């Protein structure tokens, strides 16, 4: 079974631009969540989607947004990029239909803002 | 979610068992213990989880103390590919699901040839 797929793998953007990252969950997984990883803050939860609805949100500014499509694929968008947004962005999916199903992560998109 | 405490780093000789401790003294009755690891430049990889009984799978064993205040992840025969940062996480699981994991700083495990 294919794992969680994130595209692109690497991205370089300039301050003030916006960016869209994509995540395809494991087949059958309906929950998709996003995390930001930086050397200073570690892994931090951004938001989680299930059945196209955002169920949970972390403590990030409104410049960070996301959405989920009917096929469970998800995108996250960051507008008005800042240097501090440089990070590894990780997507995880889980089979919430099964109680206590673990999250499975993709290998992330490494975003560099210059 | 309860907070976890892990040693920042550990070394283990190749071929020996690696025992990674985790303290979660404030764990609640409905919180599970999860272990993930992250190899450089990859996403976290799920290893194992448990509630109160010891668990074993093809990757590792998880030993949880009777009072559930601490646990140990055991990699029975460590290889160089086990060099990674290991995260111990406690997670509340409800009927509605909880897909938010709170990661600490983890333990950097280095396998020595």
């Amino acid at each position: 079974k294919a794992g969680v797929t994130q595209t692109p793998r690497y991205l370089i953007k300039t301050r003030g631009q916006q960016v869209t990252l994509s995540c395809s969950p494991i087949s059958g997984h309906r929950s998709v969540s996003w995390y930001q990883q930086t050397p200073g803050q570690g892994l931090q939860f951004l938001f989680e989607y299930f059945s196209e609805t955002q169920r949970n949100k972390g403590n990030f500014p409104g410049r960070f947004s996301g959405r989920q499509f009917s096929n469970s694929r998800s995108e996250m968008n960051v507008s008005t990029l800042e240097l501090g947004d440089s990070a590894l962005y990780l997507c995880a999916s889980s089979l919430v239909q099964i109680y206590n199903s673990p999250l499975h992560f993709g290998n992330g998109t490494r975003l560099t803002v210059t | 979610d309860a907070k976890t405490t892990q040693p920042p780093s550990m070394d283990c000789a190749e071929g020996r068992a690696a025992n990674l401790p985790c303290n979660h003294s404030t764990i609640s009755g409905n919180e599970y213990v999860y272990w993930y690891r992250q190899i450089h430049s990859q996403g976290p990889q799920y290893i194992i989880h448990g509630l109160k009984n010891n668990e074993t799978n093809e990757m590792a064993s998880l030993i949880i103390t009777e009072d559930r205040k601490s646990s140990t992840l055991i990699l029975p025969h460590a290889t160089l590919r086990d060099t990674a940062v290991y995260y111990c996480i406690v997670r509340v699981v409800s009927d509605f699901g909880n897909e938010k994991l709170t990661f600490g700083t983890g333990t950097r495990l280095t396998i020595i040839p």
Side-chain angles (χ1 to χ4, degrees), chain B residues 10-107:
Chain B
M10 293 180 63
D11 292 339
C12 179
E14 188 178 16
R16 304 296 293 268
N19 295 274
L20 292 92
C22 179
N23 181 286
H24 32 78
S25 58
T26 61
I27 194 169
S28 301
N30 62 344
E31 288 183 312
Y32 284 71
V33 179
Y34 275 73
W35 284 83
Y36 282 79
R37 72 180 182 185
Q38 187 173 25
I39 297 169
H40 184 61
S41 296
Q42 296 183 20
Q45 177 189 22
Y46 166 76
I47 301 173
I48 198 168
H49 72 277
L51 181 63
K52 55 184 178 181
N53 298 319
N54 298 337
E55 303 287 345
T56 296
N57 63 21
E58 65 280 1
M59 288 183 67
S61 294
L62 174 60
I63 309 297
I64 302 174
T65 58
E66 194 169 339
D67 62 8
R68 303 211 320 123
K69 292 184 177 181
S70 66
S71 61
T72 301
L73 177 74
I74 301 172
L75 308 177
H77 305 287
T79 70
L80 298 179
R81 286 180 293 183
D82 292 323
T83 292
V85 177
Y86 287 75
Y87 296 98
C88 168
I89 300 161
V90 293
R91 177 191 183 197
V92 174
V93 182
S94 69
D95 289 340
F96 301 101
N98 179 6
E99 315 317 300
K100 175 184 175 183
L101 300 180
T102 302
F103 286 83
T105 53
T107 295

